[in-house]
Amino acid sequence: EAGVAQSPRYKIIEKRQSVAFWCNPISGHATLYWYQQILGQGPKLLIQFQNNGVVDDSQLPKDRFSAERLKGVDSTLKIQPAKLEDSAVYLCASSPPWQGYSGANVLTFGAGSRLTVL
Amino acid sequence: EDKVVQSPLSLVVHEGDTVTLNCSYEVTNFRSLLWYKQEKKAPTFLFMLTSSGIEKKSGRLSSILDKKELSSILNITATQTGDSAIYLCAVEKIPGYSTLTFGKGTMLLVSP
């Protein structure tokens, strides 16, 4: 099965500029996540979608970050304006509809988009 | 606030050594604990643990959960240079939307 696709893989921008990341989850996966991983840290959840509805965006800095998942498939994460502290890898992940404790609801991650803000 | 703490943060061993990585957690409504391996790309799934005391094995890797101690260990025997990676521990909470809280990871370097 095809994995989670993300683009671009790398992006360098200056502070106050804007950037957008794209994610295409595994086909049939209802849940999509965006995680931010700063160097030396574990991934931190930014936003979680169930189909095209938001389940959790409590840690999304809404003054500068936005995300959408149109038609319950692809998703875009946008940062505007970017700050130096936004330099990180942005990981997209997806999981199938929850099927209990079978382990089938394990998240599958994409390769990530590495953002450097100068 | 939910916490997932991993130790050590980094570790250097020689090929052939056995290593034990630790993960402790403080979360409400615990459902499962997961281990991921992260090389220079996407984290890849290793194990999911839901029941205390049941060891999961995959080749040279094994893991076990202790719900009483709120902790888990990941063992790697006969380490190889290809085991060099960051090992991430994550905890999943109920309800079943699979939201994961990650620890900072343990960076393992296996030298030849």
Side-chain angles (χ1 to χ4, degrees):
Chain A
E1 102 187 322
V4 176
Q6 289 190 245
S7 67
R9 289 295 312 278
Y10 304 93
K11 190 75 178 178
I12 300 174
I13 61 173
E14 301 206 341
K15 60 183 179 184
R16 291 187 287 274
Q17 287 187 323
S18 63
V19 63
F21 302 113
W22 172 82
C23 173
N24 180 242
I26 292 174
S27 178
H29 279 196
T31 311
L32 184 146
Y33 315 76
W34 283 102
Y35 280 86
Q36 180 193 56
Q37 187 174 23
I38 293 171
L39 188 65
Q41 306 276 331
K44 182 185 87 170
L45 179 70
L46 293 176
I47 190 166
Q48 179 178 345
F49 293 94
Q50 181 77 9
N51 296 309
N52 58 349
V54 175
V55 171
D56 184 353
D57 64 356
S58 57
Q59 298 192 88
L60 187 73
K62 298 181 185 66
D63 57 334
R64 298 182 301 104
F65 285 64
S66 64
E68 60 182 9
R69 189 183 185 195
L70 299 175
K71 301 180 183 178
V73 182
D74 293 6
S75 177
T76 303
L77 176 71
K78 294 180 182 175
I79 308 174
Q80 182 179 15
K83 291 186 175 182
L84 297 176
E85 59 260 36
D86 299 331
S87 294
V89 176
Y90 291 86
L91 293 165
C92 179
S94 67
S95 65
W98 189 55
Q99 297 172 29
Y101 290 88
S102 66
N105 43 310
V106 167
L107 274 67
T108 301
F109 285 87
S113 295
R114 182 178 295 276
L115 173 66
T116 302
V117 182
L118 303 175
Chain B
E1 185 182 331
D2 297 336
K3 282 184 188 176
V4 179
V5 178
Q6 293 187 243
S7 64
L9 290 180
S10 64
L11 187 58
V12 180
V13 301
H14 292 294
E15 243 182 339
D17 287 352
T18 294
V19 298
T20 298
L21 310 182
N22 301 285
C23 177
S24 63
Y25 61 89
E26 288 179 34
V27 301
T28 53
N29 301 320
F30 172 89
R31 188 170 92 181
S32 65
L33 185 144
L34 296 89
W35 286 96
Y36 281 83
K37 178 182 181 182
Q38 186 175 28
E39 296 166 274
K40 290 186 180 178
K41 45 187 178 179
T44 53
F45 172 72
L46 294 175
F47 300 110
M48 172 185 267
L49 305 158
T50 55
S51 300
S52 209
I54 297 177
E55 185 182 50
K56 294 239 175 147
K57 288 200 71 160
S58 176
R60 296 175 294 102
L61 277 67
S62 63
S63 184
I64 196 162
L65 176 66
D66 186 337
K67 280 185 171 180
K68 192 174 175 184
E69 296 295 326
L70 306 183
S71 65
S72 173
I73 60 171
L74 174 68
N75 281 320
I76 309 174
T77 59
T79 51
Q80 302 171 356
T81 54
D83 295 326
S84 297
I86 296 172
Y87 290 84
L88 295 166
C89 171
V91 173
E92 184 181 25
K93 294 171 60 169
I94 299 169
Y97 281 130
S98 303
T99 302
L100 299 182
T101 301
F102 282 87
K104 289 186 177 182
T106 294
M107 181 180 293
L108 173 65
L109 178 62
V110 181
S111 62

